[in-house]
Amino acid sequence: MRLTAPTPKSPTDHSAPGHGPDYRVDLSDKAVDGSSLDPRRRTSAGSSSVGWVGRDDQDDSEGFAVPRPVSRARTNPPTTRSPRSPRTPVFSHISHEPVHRRRRGLVAALLVLVLVVGLIVTSYLYVTRWSYTTAPPLANLSEGQATSLAHSEGFSIVSESQFSETVQKGSVISSDPTGGERVKKGTSLHVFISSGPERYATPTLVGFSLDEARQALSRGRLTLGTLSQAWNETVPVGVVVKSSQPEGTLLKKNTPIDLTVSKGPQPIPIASYVGKSADDASTALGKAGFTVTRTEQNSDTVAKGVVISQSPDRGNGKKGDTVRLVVSKGPVLVSVPRVTGKDEAQAREKLTQAGFKVTVTYNTPDWLRLNVVAGQDPASGRMIPKGSTVTIFVS
């Protein structure tokens, strides 16, 4: 503690009562208990550590008591916390200075930040680790085994049938997610169960039109392969007559099937045999696939056994078509009448009426001739073509 000399006052200064000099105590060096400054609470000489001295020009009743040390006995100062800085008060928890309010705000913000970061880290761990596990391997297990394994590890199963050329029927082909993949707990596993090799039965194709065959192949998951055409004497045009695969054959999906479609009967050129031997005509037409019919009639101009006419005699036909032939029997045969013994005139008349031509041969000279037919050629009764010549011999 240090006593500071009073500051001289002007005669007009009336700020202090009594207008006396002002004594001040500097307490910046040490803390002093305020009770020791009260003159009414002085202790005895044996226990007091501070005495009191009045001003020289005034008595004690008007002056300000000035402490002075009278003993070296030490007293323990009250326990206080030293401020951290000259601007920090002893009781910081009740400080309302702006600097301390900012510091308290910063501490609160840090606490909130720590809580938010902790929440983010916890959420991240939950999402990325704690809520995830590994999908079990299910490939090549039976459907029952795969279901049991998935349920035991907390997964549900959604199964779907699928054809497979390598995995036997009823076993797992694959799963989604696959075995070993990181998945969320409780995820549904999509499992593909083998239905065995994908095979489809060949539908009935022969006897159907080409459009109907195409539709049947499409429904049966098969495709049309090579399309060819062939003549057929019994199946109409555009109808399937042959398939490369028998009906009911099991085939892979999209297997091509070759079809043969009818073009109808094959056309056969018709040759004309008019004026030719009927026997030769019948043989040739028969070999070509035609059915040959023959009729005969007499002809004065066409020799016997020769084709008088043919129908049809040109163009094209088909196997089994009928070709009609008219074959000559030669001229009409007439019986030669008997003219022997008749005179020449009567013989001529009778033969001419029968349709014959007559020639006369005289056997005797004119002066000896009797004009009687002595003979005839051909002889009477013979059947010869009408219009033939009959020779009579006149004597």
Side-chain angles (χ1 to χ4, degrees), residues 108 159 232 242 248 296 312 333 348 390:
S159 61
N232 192 286
K242 184 179 179 182
E296 293 180 341
L333 297 180
R348 283 179 178 274
V390 176

Side-chain angles (χ1 to χ4, degrees), residues 163-183:
F163 292 106
S164 175
E165 297 292 329
T166 57
V167 179
Q168 65 178 357
K169 184 176 181 179
S171 296
V172 176
I173 302 172
S174 62
S175 62
D176 184 22
T178 58
E181 186 176 343
R182 296 280 295 174
V183 294

Side-chain angles (χ1 to χ4, degrees), residues 14-339:
H14 303 287
S15 61
H19 311 285
D22 184 10
Y23 290 89
R24 300 180 182 178
V25 179
D26 185 359
L27 300 179
S28 61
D29 293 336
K30 294 183 179 179
V32 179
D33 188 354
S35 62
S36 63
L37 301 179
D38 189 351
R40 293 185 297 273
R41 299 178 59 182
R42 296 173 182 169
T43 59
S44 61
S47 62
S48 176
S49 62
V50 180
W52 297 87
V53 180
R55 291 193 312 186
D56 294 339
D57 57 348
Q58 295 181 359
D59 58 13
D60 292 341
S61 60
E62 297 178 353
F64 183 77
V66 178
R68 66 179 178 83
V70 295
S71 173
R72 291 297 182 179
R74 295 177 61 89
T75 60
N76 293 325
T79 302
T80 60
R81 185 174 63 179
S82 300
R84 288 171 297 188
S85 69
R87 300 183 64 184
T88 303
V90 174
F91 307 104
S92 61
H93 60 285
I94 60 173
S95 173
H96 295 287
E97 291 294 327
V99 64
H100 300 114
R101 285 200 301 270
R102 288 194 298 271
R103 289 178 180 175
R104 287 197 300 273
L106 179 60
V107 171
L110 289 174
L111 290 175
V112 171
L113 179 61
V114 170
L115 290 175
V116 170
V117 171
L119 180 60
I120 292 174
V121 171
T122 302
S123 300
Y124 173 78
L125 291 175
Y126 177 79
V127 170
T128 59
R129 295 189 180 182
W130 299 338
S131 63
Y132 278 75
T133 185
T134 301
L138 304 177
N140 297 316
L141 297 179
S142 67
E143 184 175 5
Q145 292 172 334
T147 302
S148 298
L149 178 58
H151 287 172
S152 67
E153 298 193 14
F155 296 98
S156 59
I157 287 289
V158 177
S159 61
E160 178 182 342
S161 297
Q162 193 176 81
F163 292 106
S164 175
E165 297 292 329
T166 57
V167 179
Q168 65 178 357
K169 184 176 181 179
S171 296
V172 176
I173 302 172
S174 62
S175 62
D176 184 22
T178 58
E181 186 176 343
R182 296 280 295 174
V183 294
K184 194 172 183 179
K185 293 179 179 179
T187 298
S188 293
L189 301 180
H190 202 115
V191 177
F192 299 93
I193 307 299
S194 173
S195 298
E198 185 177 10
R199 296 292 183 270
Y200 297 95
T202 303
T204 302
L205 301 172
V206 176
F208 290 93
S209 68
L210 180 58
D211 288 341
E212 292 171 333
R214 289 180 189 273
Q215 295 174 8
L217 289 172
S218 178
R219 289 192 300 269
R221 305 292 183 88
L222 302 172
T223 60
L224 177 62
T226 302
L227 180 63
S228 58
Q229 293 181 317
W231 302 111
N232 192 286
E233 306 305 322
T234 58
V235 179
V237 176
V239 175
V240 177
V241 295
K242 184 179 179 182
S243 170
S244 62
Q245 296 293 340
E247 178 183 350
T249 304
L250 296 178
L251 303 171
K252 291 183 179 181
K253 182 179 180 181
N254 294 327
T255 297
I257 295 181
D258 302 334
L259 297 180
T260 301
V261 179
S262 172
K263 295 195 295 182
Q266 182 176 8
I268 304 172
I270 300 174
S272 176
Y273 291 91
V274 175
K276 297 179 180 179
S277 168
D279 292 338
D280 293 343
S282 297
T283 301
L285 291 171
K287 287 182 178 179
F290 296 111
T291 300
V292 180
T293 61
R294 293 175 55 167
T295 59
E296 293 180 341
Q297 70 180 33
N298 295 105
S299 174
D300 296 335
T301 57
V302 178
K304 181 180 179 180
V306 175
V307 177
I308 300 172
S309 65
Q310 173 184 321
S311 178
D313 61 352
R314 65 177 59 87
N316 293 318
K318 61 181 182 293
K319 187 176 182 179
D321 283 352
T322 299
V323 176
R324 292 176 293 275
L325 299 178
V326 177
V327 180
S328 174
K329 294 190 297 179
V332 177
L333 297 180
V334 179
S335 176
V336 177
R338 179 178 178 82
V339 292

